[in-house]
Amino acid sequence: MKLPYKNIYDVLKLNRYITITVTVTALLSSAFSGVMVFNMYNKAMKSAFAVNTDGSVIPLKLVSQKENLQVEALSHLTLFHKYFYGIDDSNYESNLEKALWLGNGTVDNVYRQKKADGVYNRILQYSLVQKVLSVESQVDVKVEPYRFKTVTVFEVNRGSVIDRYELVSTGALIAVDRNYPMNTHGLLITNYFENSLKKVKDKE
């Protein structure tokens, strides 16, 4: 007599095929999803977005770090010189602390020498205001350490008298880990040296 249901082995075989099919489909689906996520990640890494003042989203194209190095190096040097030389009796401690994060022990040595010479005491005693007017740097980013030369023009306001000075400094930059917000460019000033300082006259 023929049984009304299939042989148990046929049922198990069918279930096995179904299980294998579902498993393979799931694996293929996972692999496809992984590839899609990877492609989306790579695309996102090449583009960034900023929010404009009116709330609109602006796409920004990112370039390689090497292409950005020149811009970042100049920005790093400008930031350092503004912090290190743009000081008065109300901000000199915070500005110098920020500047020291941007350089190594050679910057600290210059700071200690200035402190020993009484530069900061005079700023406090006479309420002097030292304001940076311009920072112009030249950096060679071909080979690390990246050597630089910077011309900083600043004025010292003594109340009734304002004197203007031109400082030429040199050194080199090396790449370090970025430290937000202390060292956002991931660069460190080394071999820092103040080459010359001279008083300049205002252009008539």
Side-chain angles (χ1 to χ4, degrees):
M1 183 178 70
K2 188 175 182 180
L3 296 175
Y5 50 85
K6 294 184 178 181
N7 187 287
I8 187 65
Y9 294 106
D10 293 336
V11 173
L12 292 176
K13 185 182 295 184
L14 178 61
N15 288 342
R16 187 180 66 176
Y17 288 148
I18 294 175
T19 302
I20 293 174
T21 302
V22 171
T23 302
V24 171
T25 303
L27 290 175
L28 291 175
S29 178
S30 298
F32 179 77
S33 299
V35 172
M36 292 296 294
V37 170
F38 181 75
N39 290 336
M40 290 176 63
Y41 173 79
N42 284 338
K43 187 176 181 180
M45 288 299 292
K46 295 178 181 179
S47 301
F49 299 91
V51 180
N52 200 1
T53 54
D54 59 1
S56 59
V57 177
I58 307 172
L60 302 175
K61 195 72 175 178
L62 295 181
V63 295
S64 68
Q65 184 178 1
K66 193 67 177 178
E67 292 173 331
N68 278 336
L69 181 57
Q70 180 79 21
V71 175
E72 292 211 62
L74 294 175
S75 179
H76 186 86
L77 292 171
T78 298
L79 193 64
F80 166 76
H81 286 84
K82 285 187 174 181
Y83 280 145
F84 201 64
Y85 299 101
I87 54 178
D88 56 42
D89 59 351
S90 66
N91 70 8
Y92 86 97
E93 287 185 335
S94 62
N95 277 14
L96 290 175
E97 181 181 359
K98 293 174 183 177
L100 291 175
W101 273 96
L102 306 179
N104 70 351
T106 58
V107 172
D108 185 64
N109 290 340
V110 175
Y111 159 72
R112 292 180 182 275
Q113 185 61 51
K114 288 179 178 291
K115 188 175 182 179
D117 293 341
V119 172
Y120 307 122
N121 284 337
R122 287 194 293 272
I123 289 177
L124 293 175
Q125 183 177 357
Y126 300 107
S127 297
L128 303 181
V129 177
Q130 192 166 287
K131 180 181 179 182
V132 174
L133 302 178
S134 65
V135 179
E136 296 183 3
S137 300
Q138 296 177 340
V139 189
D140 183 2
V141 297
K142 294 179 181 177
V143 180
E144 188 178 355
Y146 315 114
R147 301 191 179 279
F148 70 84
K149 176 181 178 181
T150 300
V151 178
T152 304
V153 177
F154 63 91
E155 63 181 21
V156 179
N157 189 328
R158 296 181 170 86
S160 58
V161 179
I162 299 178
D163 294 323
R164 184 170 294 187
Y165 297 90
E166 181 184 272
L167 170 72
V168 178
S169 57
T170 57
L173 294 170
I174 61 174
V176 295
D177 291 337
R178 296 178 189 267
N179 184 331
Y180 298 94
M182 301 301 185
N183 189 335
T184 57
H185 295 112
L187 296 169
L188 195 71
I189 296 173
T190 64
N191 300 322
Y192 187 67
F193 185 74
E194 294 181 342
N195 298 76
S196 64
L197 176 66
K198 67 178 182 180
K199 188 175 180 181
V200 296
K201 296 181 179 180
D202 295 334
K203 294 182 179 180
E204 298 180 354

